[in-house]
């Protein structure tokens, strides 16, 4: 992650408070929040997926720009958060003093640098920091600015941050960088076993019925052919994750083996991150995020909790009570040297339903082995 010296935005408000443009960009959506230095959330909005590795850096930054304009009332939208009488939305860039963008696709320092340079070239903020979205998850879920975060959504990744600032991270480039897991990979595994169950190369499994139901086909082979010919999107593989977890919970041996492997991967990522930051023998929060984990599947969570209890008994597993956009905002406020009260104000805003995916009943949960 890189950052430059902060400045001041003339349109931040009549009170002259500095502002942060927080960005949480993922494989399915992009959330933005404009936050004043005192923690007041001025505007929020959600946009489409942030995909720099497939769509390109410029196109990905375009998504941020369009989403910010929607948050500020442009492009036919309206501010998604109360602005107060003293707030004057900027007519155009710079939108904030500092941009804090924590996004998928920023897996390597060179990728972070390219995204940061594009943000600064566009003038979205006077300064910018770009980092992987796992840093935002950690900041959103942990009670301190350090600990470990493991995300399992479309992909899988982890980060560890020591109290000293020492960082442990992974390339997270898929199978070529040693990864196993994530929604797309799990869908592929489910399909692989379903094919073999149907044609006799593998044991029977409920996953064959799950594939047929998901794709609306009479056979698994028909679903495979539709995928091969481009008649069905590979994104549909993500839809196989819920029935995979359900089948494992119902005792399906093949599905259970996949879920156990996933629990092992989620555990080893966290354990290695703790070891590399000298946190393995210390009390340490492990924040779990991403759609696969925030679904709180009972079997998966119990397997993860048991594994951490055995290998890192001082670790505390946490599912955050606020979305990752809060972590991006808090990291941006940290850069401005904002007060702890400002951080609490941001958290309170999103706990009160200040974002489409931050409902009041999405409380923080900790997990223990059962």
């Amino acid at each position: 992650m890189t950052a430059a010296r902060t400045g001041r935005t003339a349109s931040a408000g009549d009170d002259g408070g500095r502002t942060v443009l927080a960005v949480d960009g993922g494989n399915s959506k992009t959330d933005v929040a404009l936050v004043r230095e005192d923690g007041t959330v001025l505007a929020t909005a959600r946009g489409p997926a942030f995909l720099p590795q497939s769509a390109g850096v410029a196109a990905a930054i375009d998504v941020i720009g369009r989403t910010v304009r929607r948050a500020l009332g442009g492009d036919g939208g309206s501010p998604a958060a109360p602005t107060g009488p003293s707030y004057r939305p900027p007519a155009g860039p710079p939108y904030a003093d500092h941009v804090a963008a924590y996004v998928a696709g920023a897996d390597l320092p060179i990728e972070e640098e390219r995204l940061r340079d594009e943000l600064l070239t566009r003038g979205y903020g006077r300064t910018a920091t770009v980092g992987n979205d796992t840093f935002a998850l950690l900041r959103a879920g942990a009670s301190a600015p350090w600990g470990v975060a493991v995300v399992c959504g479309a992909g899988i990744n982890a980060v560890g941050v020591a109290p000293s600032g020492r960082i442990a991270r992974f390339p997270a480039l898929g199978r070529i960088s040693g990864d196993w897991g994530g929604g797309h990979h799990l869908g592929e595994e489910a399909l692989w076993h379903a094919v073999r169950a149907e044609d006799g190369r593998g044991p029977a499994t409920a996953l064959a019925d799950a594939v047929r139901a998901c794709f609306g086909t009479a056979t698994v082979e028909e679903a495979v052919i539709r995928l091969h010919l481009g008649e069905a999107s590979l994104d549909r593989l993500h839809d196989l994750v819920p029935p995979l977890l359900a089948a494992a919970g119902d005792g399906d041996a093949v599905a259970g083996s996949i879920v156990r492997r996933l629990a092992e991967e989620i555990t080893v990522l966290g354990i290695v991150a703790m070891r590399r930051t000298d946190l393995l023998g210390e009390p340490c929060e492990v924040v779990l995020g991403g759609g696969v984990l925030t679904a709180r599947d009972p079997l998966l969570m119990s397997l993860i909790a048991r594994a951490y209890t055995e290998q890192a008994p001082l670790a505390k597993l946490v599912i955050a009570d606020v979305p990752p956009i809060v972590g991006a905002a808090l990291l941006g406020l940290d850069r401005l040297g904002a007060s702890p009260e400002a951080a609490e104000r941001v958290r309170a805003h999103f706990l009160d339903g200040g974002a489409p995916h931050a409902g009041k009943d999405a409380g923080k949960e900790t997990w223990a082995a059962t």
Side-chain angles (χ1 to χ4, degrees), residues 266-335:
I266 291 166
T267 302
V268 74
L269 278 167
I271 294 296
V272 171
M274 282 188 279
R275 182 181 299 125
R276 287 167 55 184
T277 50
D278 296 325
L279 293 172
L280 188 55
E282 305 292 334
C284 176
E285 289 176 316
V286 179
V287 182
L288 304 178
V292 176
L293 290 172
T294 57
R296 298 171 172 85
D297 177 75
L299 175 60
L300 176 61
M301 296 308 301
S302 66
L303 291 169
I304 293 170
R306 186 176 300 116
Y308 274 96
T309 298
E310 294 172 353
Q311 301 179 48
L314 297 181
K316 177 183 178 182
L317 301 185
V318 176
I319 293 181
D321 55 355
V322 289
I325 186 64
V326 175
L330 295 180
L331 288 165
L333 291 175
D334 291 344
R335 290 285 181 176

Side-chain angles (χ1 to χ4, degrees), residues 56-81:
V57 169
I61 300 302
D62 283 341
V63 168
I64 295 177
R66 290 195 300 270
T67 308
V68 172
R69 290 191 291 274
R70 186 178 304 119
L72 297 176
D75 294 342
S78 60

Side-chain angles (χ1 to χ4, degrees), residues 23 30 49-52 55-69 99 101 103 114-124 130:
V23 180
T30 299
F50 187 88
L51 303 170
V57 169
I61 300 302
D62 283 341
V63 168
I64 295 177
R66 290 195 300 270
T67 308
V68 172
R69 290 191 291 274
V99 179
V103 296
R114 288 170 178 169
L115 290 165
R116 184 186 71 92
D117 288 348
E118 186 69 18
L119 282 168
L120 294 174
T121 297
R122 304 284 185 95
Y124 287 1
V130 175

Side-chain angles (χ1 to χ4, degrees), residues 10-349:
S11 60
D14 290 343
D15 60 359
R18 293 179 296 173
T19 53
V20 170
L21 172 59
V23 180
D24 167 40
N27 293 302
S28 60
K29 50 77 183 172
T30 299
D31 284 336
V32 303
L34 187 64
V35 182
R36 198 158 52 199
E37 189 174 5
D38 66 359
T40 300
V41 178
L42 300 170
T44 64
R46 171 167 290 182
F50 187 88
L51 303 170
Q53 291 171 331
S54 58
V57 169
I61 300 302
D62 283 341
V63 168
I64 295 177
R66 290 195 300 270
T67 308
V68 172
R69 290 191 291 274
R70 186 178 304 119
L72 297 176
D75 294 342
S78 60
T83 58
S86 66
Y87 176 62
R88 292 181 290 116
Y95 298 114
D97 291 281
H98 183 67
V99 179
Y102 291 86
V103 296
D107 298 309
L108 303 173
I110 185 63
E111 293 171 327
E112 294 173 342
E113 181 180 348
R114 288 170 178 169
L115 290 165
R116 184 186 71 92
D117 288 348
E118 186 69 18
L119 282 168
L120 294 174
T121 297
R122 304 284 185 95
Y124 287 1
R126 299 185 184 277
T127 60
T129 301
V130 175
N132 187 263
D133 53 357
T134 52
F135 288 96
L137 170 64
L138 175 59
R139 190 67 176 89
S143 59
W146 58 271
V148 167
V150 182
V151 61
C152 185
I156 192 166
N157 198 3
V159 67
V161 178
S164 65
R166 182 179 178 186
I167 293 173
R169 59 188 300 184
F170 303 86
L173 302 175
R175 189 170 181 83
I176 61 172
S177 62
D179 305 329
W180 192 98
H184 187 83
H185 195 149
L186 293 174
E188 286 183 333
E189 287 289 304
L191 180 60
W192 188 87
H193 284 285
V195 169
R196 296 171 70 85
E198 183 176 83
D199 68 18
R201 285 179 290 171
T205 172
L207 295 176
D209 286 337
V211 170
R212 290 189 283 263
C214 178
F215 288 89
T217 57
T219 65
V220 175
E221 182 179 1
E222 183 182 345
V224 170
I225 292 172
R226 289 184 61 191
L227 288 167
H228 174 69
L229 296 177
E231 296 172 354
S233 171
L234 288 172
D235 290 341
R236 294 287 302 280
L237 292 174
H238 292 266
D239 296 337
L240 292 173
V241 176
L244 165 66
L245 294 172
D250 290 339
D252 185 90
V254 172
S257 68
I258 298 173
V259 173
R260 286 192 296 274
R261 172 72 186 277
L262 178 61
E264 292 171 0
E265 290 296 320
I266 291 166
T267 302
V268 74
L269 278 167
I271 294 296
V272 171
M274 282 188 279
R275 182 181 299 125
R276 287 167 55 184
T277 50
D278 296 325
L279 293 172
L280 188 55
E282 305 292 334
C284 176
E285 289 176 316
V286 179
V287 182
L288 304 178
V292 176
L293 290 172
T294 57
R296 298 171 172 85
D297 177 75
L299 175 60
L300 176 61
M301 296 308 301
S302 66
L303 291 169
I304 293 170
R306 186 176 300 116
Y308 274 96
T309 298
E310 294 172 353
Q311 301 179 48
L314 297 181
K316 177 183 178 182
L317 301 185
V318 176
I319 293 181
D321 55 355
V322 289
I325 186 64
V326 175
L330 295 180
L331 288 165
L333 291 175
D334 291 344
R335 290 285 181 176
L336 297 186
S339 68
E341 291 77 16
E344 289 306 312
R345 188 171 289 116
V346 172
R347 286 187 179 277
H349 174 87

